[in-house]
Amino acid sequence: MIIAILNQKGGVGKTTLSINLAASLARSGARVLLIDADPQGSSLDWAAMRQETPLFPIVGLPRPTIHKEIAQIGKDYDHIVIDGPPRVTELARSAIMAADVILIPVQPSPYDVWAADEVVKLIQDAKIYKETLISFFVINRKITNTAIGRDVGEALAAYPIPILDAAITQRIIFAESAAQGKAVYEIDQTSFAANEIESLKDALLKETNP
């Protein structure tokens, strides 16, 4: 399965989700490749911070030919996660055309909901050529016990894309793990953060393999 994580708005936790989802898939025994398609190279920066043996390989591919190259690059892997660019560009279109599934991380903020509009339009355009393309919103950096955390689901209901039944809460451990080049489960595999990532992976696999 090829999973692209995309949102034109920066700072939504796209790279954090990409890394930890890839780590969760790899932890289950799958062969996983992470493609860093963000010109900022945040996933590659994470890998450079790591002292331990890599959990999975990371390839930098910030060019709009991902959909043409991915069959060759990813031929030896069970899953490929694409950490997409932070803007709607030809690079984003290429990532969408390469993917089987698009995850759109959205923070519980009106600005994030509004910003999702452009990537939703890109996905709808891509489905003309790729009818099997699946997409989900992922509520990320949710703040517990707040009205805005609850209301974001209602706001996203206006879009023709479902919300994945697994939200990720704002937690310090995500920043701590990133600074060490680790996945959250490597910091504390019993943590709420690690459990939420596992739930995200399980929900994604359930939706794509009913």
Side-chain angles (χ1 to χ4, degrees), residues 68-179:
K68 297 177 182 178
E69 300 182 56
I70 200 162
Q72 180 64 28
I73 294 172
K75 64 181 180 179
D76 296 324
Y77 297 95
D78 300 311
H79 300 295
I80 301 170
V81 178
I82 303 173
D83 181 8
R87 292 175 296 282
V88 169
T89 59
E90 289 304 313
L91 180 51
R93 289 184 176 88
S94 181
I96 289 171
M97 292 305 296
D100 302 311
V101 183
I102 310 293
L103 298 182
I104 309 169
V106 179
Q107 295 180 117
S109 155
Y111 301 107
D112 283 54
V113 174
W114 300 332
D117 190 62
E118 286 193 53
V119 71
V120 169
K121 288 177 180 175
L122 273 188
I123 292 168
Q124 295 303 105
D125 289 345
K127 290 188 75 170
I128 297 172
Y129 307 99
K130 195 172 183 178
E131 294 181 3
T132 57
L133 186 63
I134 303 170
S135 54
F136 299 98
F137 285 115
V138 175
I139 298 177
N140 195 31
R141 293 180 174 169
K142 182 178 180 180
I143 301 172
T144 55
N145 301 319
T146 61
I148 196 165
R150 295 188 295 269
D151 293 348
V152 66
E154 296 178 11
L156 291 173
Y159 291 111
I161 290 178
I163 301 170
L164 197 64
D165 188 22
I168 306 297
T169 305
Q170 174 101 318
R171 300 186 192 280
I172 294 296
I173 191 173
F174 284 110
E176 292 174 341
S177 61

Side-chain angles (χ1 to χ4, degrees), residues 42-52 177-182:
S42 298
S43 288
L44 290 170
D45 289 343
W46 171 85
M49 296 296 296
R50 186 174 180 82
Q51 301 298 316
E52 295 79 9
S177 61
Q180 298 176 51
K182 293 184 178 181

